[in-house]
Amino acid sequence: MKIAVIGAGSTYTPELVSGLAGERGRLDVDELVLHDIAAERREVVGALAARMLERRRFAGVLTITGDLDRAVDGADFVLLQIRVGGQTARLSDETLPLACGCIGQETTGAGGFAKALRTVPVVLQIAERVRERAAAGAWIIDFTNPVGIVTRALLDGGHRAVGLCNVAIGFQRQFARMLGVDPARVVVDQVGLNHLTWVRAVHLDGDDVLPGLLDEHGDELAAPLELPRTLLDELGAVPSYYLRYFYAHDRVLEQQRAGVPRAAEVAEIERRLLELYRDPALTEKPTLLEQRGGAFYSEAATGLVASLVADSGDVHVVDVRNAGTLFGLAADDVVEVPARVGAGGPVALVQRPLAPELLGLVQHVSAYERLAVHAAVSGDRAVARKALLAHPLVGQVEPAWELVERLLAADAEHLPQFRGQGERVA
């Protein structure tokens, strides 16, 4: 088995390498390829990965390369974790919308839209190389945000792809800890769109225990979401952290305007991590990596790959075509739902209809995601404006029009598809 990681200069990569090395019983990896276009990061992270694998007595081959074709040649799995524009672009995503009175966030709202415009064309170029050079039946597993939009673009392009986020596995581990049980016994029924999901049931050995969890741990569940416990009680569900951008918009916007952008914090953490990674004595992922985010990322990734290889039918929360799973959405929309995963890919579990207070928001954002993919592929300014006009975190003519021009100007070097189009003033 050959696994290629594209964007392996990410400081997340040691987490993934640790997970793959720990899954030798389920994943017999002959070659692990770490690819990145940034030479220094590639070498620093790759050297740490080599030390980690040597300590774990990895019997396969580790290849570190900047050659995409070399990376994907014959690969069975291609894992995407790229960040087009790096942390500099992320800082723009998080700060530029604030001037227009809009939330600044790297995956949600106007910032997430900017990231999608930069990312989708690059991912599709990579996917074409995978189609041409990878093993027959190779899977593309996308961790690159915004996962729902990127996965939709991949599926629209006819690629064999599935999207994956760590939010669901984070909830699974939290619920297991509250219940005092092994996480393997807990199945989280998380539904919606990527970064727009609600946990509507928590199955422990097949029985839904969410009502009891809300009764006994409601305050503890609400606190990290920065949302009132009464909201969880009235919804009868646990929203993901990203719902705070919708449910507490004005408060979050005020905090963002007064605070330090998360991108600046992450950039400093990354700087410190890369310093640690350069230490030739370091052979394990450092504890500082926990502050980077992405908890349980490696376990989600390796678990999904293992289920695809072993045809196990294990349940994973993934991003797939709706295909009738959630009533009220188009068949070709991409949803995030629990699915049984075997060699043929994920098969979504049957879902009851979303409650109106959930469905309305999902439909709204799903329409935006459809337009976002179209804008990213076509480079059409009018479609870009429609996308932000459709997004509930923007939704007004003046900020939508202004944001498109600001975002395109800030990211011009990464947006060749928009070149040659004249600006249009609202």
Side-chain angles (χ1 to χ4, degrees):
M1 185 195 310
K2 177 177 177 178
I3 297 179
V5 182
I6 310 302
S10 167
T11 52
Y12 280 135
T13 297
E15 176 82 21
L16 181 60
V17 169
S18 177
L20 290 171
E23 287 288 352
R24 283 179 294 182
R26 294 195 296 169
L27 294 175
D28 185 14
V29 180
D30 300 301
E31 182 179 7
L32 173 63
V33 182
L34 303 182
H35 170 275
D36 204 285
I37 60 174
E40 183 179 5
R41 291 179 69 110
R42 180 176 72 234
E43 296 305 321
V44 170
V45 176
L48 172 59
R51 297 192 298 271
M52 293 174 66
L53 292 173
E54 182 180 10
R55 179 176 178 177
R56 299 289 188 94
R57 298 181 180 178
F58 175 61
V61 174
L62 173 66
T63 301
I64 302 167
T65 182
D67 183 339
L68 180 61
D69 288 350
R70 169 68 185 86
V72 303
D73 274 346
D76 300 285
F77 292 91
V78 178
L79 280 51
L80 300 181
Q81 54 175 35
I82 67 172
R83 181 180 290 278
V84 180
Q87 293 298 329
T88 300
R90 175 176 179 168
L91 183 61
S92 174
D93 295 343
E94 294 184 359
T95 56
L96 192 150
L98 302 180
C100 299
C102 296
I103 294 285
Q105 212 282 328
E106 67 155 341
T107 63
T108 300
F113 179 61
K115 187 171 189 181
L117 295 183
R118 294 191 305 270
T119 304
V120 165
V122 177
V123 165
L124 291 179
Q125 290 171 9
I126 294 169
E128 284 302 319
R129 304 310 290 163
V130 173
R131 196 201 309 266
E132 294 168 8
R133 306 186 73 99
W139 280 96
I140 296 174
I141 299 179
D142 179 62
F143 311 112
T144 298
N145 280 319
V147 168
I149 293 173
V150 173
T151 302
R152 180 174 193 136
L154 285 165
L155 294 175
D156 286 352
H159 301 287
R160 200 176 197 216
V162 58
L164 184 64
C165 180
N166 71 322
V167 170
I169 193 171
F171 272 132
Q172 182 209 36
R173 300 309 166 89
Q174 183 181 18
F175 296 143
R177 176 180 55 77
M178 291 174 171
L179 295 165
V181 301
D182 188 314
R185 295 173 58 191
V186 177
V187 175
V188 175
D189 185 32
Q190 177 177 295
V191 299
L193 309 177
N194 178 245
H195 288 186
L196 194 84
T197 52
W198 297 262
V199 175
R200 298 192 299 171
V202 178
H203 298 289
L204 174 61
D205 300 332
D207 296 324
D208 182 13
V209 296
L210 180 58
L213 284 167
L214 288 171
D215 285 343
E216 297 178 27
H217 301 280
D219 291 336
E220 184 181 352
L221 288 168
L225 306 177
E226 300 182 35
L227 292 169
R229 186 252 175 88
T230 52
L231 174 66
L232 278 63
D233 291 334
E234 293 193 357
L235 292 176
V238 182
S240 83
Y241 176 83
Y242 294 89
L243 264 300
R244 66 190 287 269
Y245 298 112
F246 299 84
Y247 291 154
H249 176 279
D250 292 353
R251 175 163 52 87
V252 171
L253 181 58
E254 183 180 353
Q255 291 171 348
Q256 288 188 337
R257 283 173 160 167
V260 176
R262 172 64 176 163
E265 297 175 353
V266 169
E268 174 59 20
I269 292 169
E270 287 210 330
R271 185 191 65 77
R272 293 165 57 196
L273 281 171
L274 289 170
E275 285 183 3
L276 292 173
Y277 292 177
R278 288 184 175 92
D279 182 356
L282 184 67
T283 59
E284 290 291 340
K285 60 181 182 179
T287 55
L288 178 62
L289 186 54
E290 296 172 8
Q291 296 181 32
R292 176 66 180 81
F296 310 114
Y297 156 66
S298 67
E299 294 170 61
T302 54
L304 177 58
V305 172
S307 294
L308 289 166
V309 170
D311 196 23
S312 65
D314 293 334
V315 175
H316 300 268
V317 175
V318 290
D319 288 77
V320 294
R321 289 289 197 201
N322 182 43
T325 303
L326 294 182
F327 177 80
L329 296 181
D332 66 340
D333 284 336
V334 168
V335 296
E336 190 166 289
V337 293
R340 292 204 178 277
V341 179
V347 177
L349 302 185
V350 174
Q351 294 290 333
R352 68 183 187 274
L354 291 170
E357 62 273 17
L358 311 186
L359 178 60
L361 186 52
V362 168
Q363 288 174 322
H364 208 160
V365 176
S366 186
Y368 149 75
E369 291 190 347
R370 180 182 296 272
L371 289 163
V373 171
H374 185 186
V377 172
S378 68
D380 189 320
R381 268 183 161 82
V383 176
R385 290 189 285 267
K386 290 176 184 177
L388 289 185
L389 197 60
H391 201 297
L393 293 182
V394 182
Q396 298 184 70
V397 172
E398 290 186 7
W401 264 239
E402 182 179 354
L403 274 167
V404 165
E405 297 309 322
R406 284 175 173 261
L407 295 172
L408 295 186
D411 278 345
E413 66 177 300
H414 302 296
L415 300 174
Q417 70 271 39
F418 285 92
R419 290 174 193 161
Q421 291 196 35
E423 295 183 6
R424 176 179 171 181
V425 180

